[in-house]
Amino acid sequence: MKSVYFVLIELAIGTFFFSGCRQILGDGEPPESIIQPLIEATNLIVNKPSFGTIYNPGDTLGIEWVAPTIMEIDIQLFRKSEYKFTLIENLENNGKFNWRIPNDISPSNHYLIKIISHNNTYIYEFSGQFGIE
């Protein structure tokens, strides 16, 4: 037969294990959650330029996207994973922008357009990879 002492120890350990020491010891309110809440999806989709499309210097590249919850956007050019430059900042989101490709741009088949929420840089999407010859 177990002694009262061992029963009390088992009860105390079980209480700490199942309810947490903060609640028992009075160390403030327990946190609501240690997991960060998910950011609401923005449905940011870049439609153009499309993967594999080839352009020439001097061409007008039509950039198109859908981002119904974003008010203003920034557009950047990347080559592979390297940032090249910003095409435009703080553009009212109407889903379209025409960019004239500079004549002095380096030829490559590894360009990408990045559409970014102007107010929240964590919200962004890349276009398909395209080329400039």
Side-chain angles (χ1 to χ4, degrees):
M1 178 180 224
K2 292 183 180 178
S3 71
V4 174
Y5 178 71
F6 287 115
V7 171
L8 289 175
I9 290 175
E10 288 177 347
L11 182 61
I13 291 172
T15 303
F16 274 108
F17 180 73
F18 288 110
S19 65
C21 60
R22 281 182 184 236
Q23 292 175 344
I24 294 170
L25 299 176
D27 189 21
E29 292 293 317
E32 290 183 25
S33 174
I34 60 171
I35 299 172
Q36 293 294 325
L38 294 175
I39 296 174
E40 184 177 326
T42 61
N43 299 323
L44 174 56
I45 300 168
V46 181
N47 295 321
K48 289 185 179 179
S50 303
F51 178 82
T53 309
I54 304 295
Y55 299 92
N56 294 303
D59 287 351
T60 298
L61 189 155
I63 302 167
E64 296 181 12
W65 65 91
V66 176
T69 61
I70 298 173
M71 299 303 290
E72 287 121 9
I73 57 117
D74 300 336
I75 303 175
Q76 298 175 342
L77 181 69
F78 280 73
R79 184 174 175 192
K80 296 185 180 180
S81 61
E82 179 186 351
Y83 167 82
K84 298 310 263 179
F85 55 86
T86 298
L87 279 58
I88 192 164
E89 291 181 316
N90 205 22
L91 176 69
E92 183 179 343
N93 179 13
N94 66 3
K96 295 182 180 183
F97 179 75
N98 289 322
W99 174 56
R100 186 178 173 281
I101 300 171
N103 289 323
D104 61 348
I105 196 163
S106 299
S108 175
N109 289 323
H110 303 286
Y111 283 109
L112 300 159
I113 293 293
K114 182 178 181 182
I115 306 288
I116 310 153
S117 167
H118 182 72
N119 295 321
N120 184 349
T121 58
Y122 292 107
I123 300 173
Y124 64 88
E125 190 61 61
F126 285 94
S127 70
Q129 189 171 309
F130 63 94
I132 299 174
E133 294 182 342

